Structure formats: C-alpha cells, structure tokens
Amino acid sequence: MYKLQLQLFILLAVGYYVGKKNILDSSARDRLTSLIIKIILPSSIVLSFQMELTANMLHETLEVLLAASGIQVLYLLLNTVLWRKFPEEEAISCKYATMVTNASFVGLPIATALYGEKGLLYASIFVLPQRIMMWAYGLPLYTGKSEKHMARKILLHPCVASIFIGIFLMIFYNRGYPLPEVAASAMKSLSECTTALCMIVIGGVMSEMKLSEFFDVHAFYFCVWRLLLIPVFILVILHHLEISDVCRGVSVLLTGLPASTTVVILAQQYDRKPKFASQMMFLSTLGSMLTLPLVIGLL
C-alpha cells in the first residue's frame, strides 16, 4: 500500500521538477492534458472492459455491483449538501472527487492483497459504475453545459464514447472475439502511461504554487469526508445488510481512497481552478497513508 502511494509522490515530484525548470510550461501542460484526455484515458477505459463475464461470475458479483451502484447514488445525494457553501469551481472538483476515487491504481492492488483473487474480481466489478459516472456525470460538471443541445457533444467526447466502445467490445470479448493482440498490446502500452502522465501534469500545476498553498481549508474538509466519514458511513450501512464479508470489505475499502488524478486533468482542461484540484489530490493522497490503515483496521 505504502509503495503505491510513494510511487505517486515520486511521479508528482518529477512533474514538480520539470515544471520548476520550465521543461513543462503552461502551454506544454495544456497540450499534454489534451493528449491524456483524447488518447491515453480512452485507451485505458476501453481496455478496462476487456474482461470475461461468465454466468457464475455475474451471479457471484451481483451483490458488489448493486452495492457499487447504490454507493454512487449515495454520492449524488451527498453532493447536494456537502459543498453548497464552497465557491462554484471548488464545489465542482469536490463533487467529481466524491464520485470518483483512485480505485484503479491504488484500490485494486490493495483489494488483491487483502482478499486475494476474489478481492481483485470484486474490485474490478465495483469500479464499473464509477467508470461510467466519472464521465456521464463528471463531464457536464466541468463543461457547465448539460442542456439537451450539449448531449451530442458530451456523448462524442473521447472518454464518454470509449465507454460505449468498451461495452460493445466486451460483448464480443465474451463471445470469443477479443481485441487483436497487436491492438490490445498497443492500447495497454498507452494505458500504462496514464498514472505517470497525470501525476506529471499535477506536479507541473503544483510547481506554480507556493509551499503555503499546498494546504487549503476546503481541501482539508474534503479529505475528512472522502477518507474517513464516507467510508465509515458506508461501513455502518453495509453492516446491516446481508452481504458477504468480501463484498462489504471491498466496498468500504474502495470508498476510502484518495481523489482520482483525473480531477486535476479535467480542472486543467476546462480551466476550473486546477490549483485547488491539485491541492485536493495531493492532500487526499497524503492523508490516505494515515486513514487507509484505520479503515482496514475497522474491517
């Protein structure tokens, strides 16, 4: 667990260094962000749907899929009350980061370490509703344009379109027609760049901040909810439901993770106060080094 988080901070430090040395200036960072949004993230999304879904697997994981969907609904409800007093651009990032955690990079390895192969399976299913909501709900937040005339533009956004492509290809995958090996390998190479490039962009944003600006009261308030109160609340709810221990454990664990790196990428792309988004991501990743052991202890 700590190795993964330290890896994030090393990548963050690389981004901070290249930003300070002006190797990655604001203009270059904008172009790199466009590359991530239009090529890197879509490749990662499509590849994430290349999984086998047998009848036994669907039956076994139905409860975790229902739990994950219910938790996304709970997030939507919390978003209506938690960030009302925040400035609009800060509230947008808080709402997005409430819905979307760093589940793929941090959550899946930890779930595997705690619960073995079943933990990995459950975690992989758990993140499916999140992957859909992070774009179907998150993109209108940052564009500020959820009207009907924007529906086509949102649906054609690379990250949203890649969800539908991924689901379509997953159907073929389960019928015995996976992606050609060459295409899958190329997409895997691109998707493996996601975390490194995202963290470098975030480090570049932070290089323009003073040390005192790394910490923010609103960002700290977000971390208290994201890392402690929400997972404890969900643990209490799931404790009263008749579900398996592994399902309960994975569900709680994946709700106690730091903000996703994409919160900064979107804030940068749409000029929605990326410095605040970087503060959230930095503080929640740092804070999770203390709170994740507490959450695991509760489990």
Side-chain angles (χ1 to χ4, degrees), residues 136-190:
Y137 171 82
L139 193 60
L141 274 178
Y142 282 95
T143 60
K145 299 176 181 178
S146 57
E147 297 88 352
K148 290 183 179 179
H149 71 273
M150 281 297 298
R152 182 173 179 272
K153 184 173 288 188
I154 291 172
L155 288 173
L156 293 178
H157 186 279
C159 291
V160 177
S162 61
I163 293 174
F164 296 105
I165 294 171
I167 293 173
F168 179 76
L169 292 176
M170 183 172 65
I171 295 172
F172 276 87
Y173 183 91
N174 283 273
R175 290 181 176 273
Y177 299 100
L179 279 172
E181 186 176 347
V182 174
S185 296
M187 294 181 73
K188 183 179 180 182
S189 296
L190 287 170

Side-chain angles (χ1 to χ4, degrees), residues 59-118:
H59 176 75
E60 185 179 7
T61 57
L62 179 60
E63 64 178 10
V64 76
L65 183 61
L66 291 174
S69 301
I71 288 170
Q72 290 292 314
V73 173
L74 176 62
Y75 289 160
L76 287 171
L77 296 175
L78 289 174
N79 277 343
T80 64
V81 296
L82 289 181
W83 324 115
R84 287 183 300 177
K85 296 183 179 180
F86 282 23
E88 181 184 1
E89 293 185 338
E90 294 183 5
I92 287 171
S93 287
C94 286
K95 287 178 180 180
Y96 180 85
T98 299
M99 300 291 295
V100 184
T101 66
N102 203 347
S104 295
F105 182 73
V106 178
L108 267 62
I110 296 176
T112 305
L114 289 177
Y115 299 107
E117 290 299 317
K118 180 171 285 191

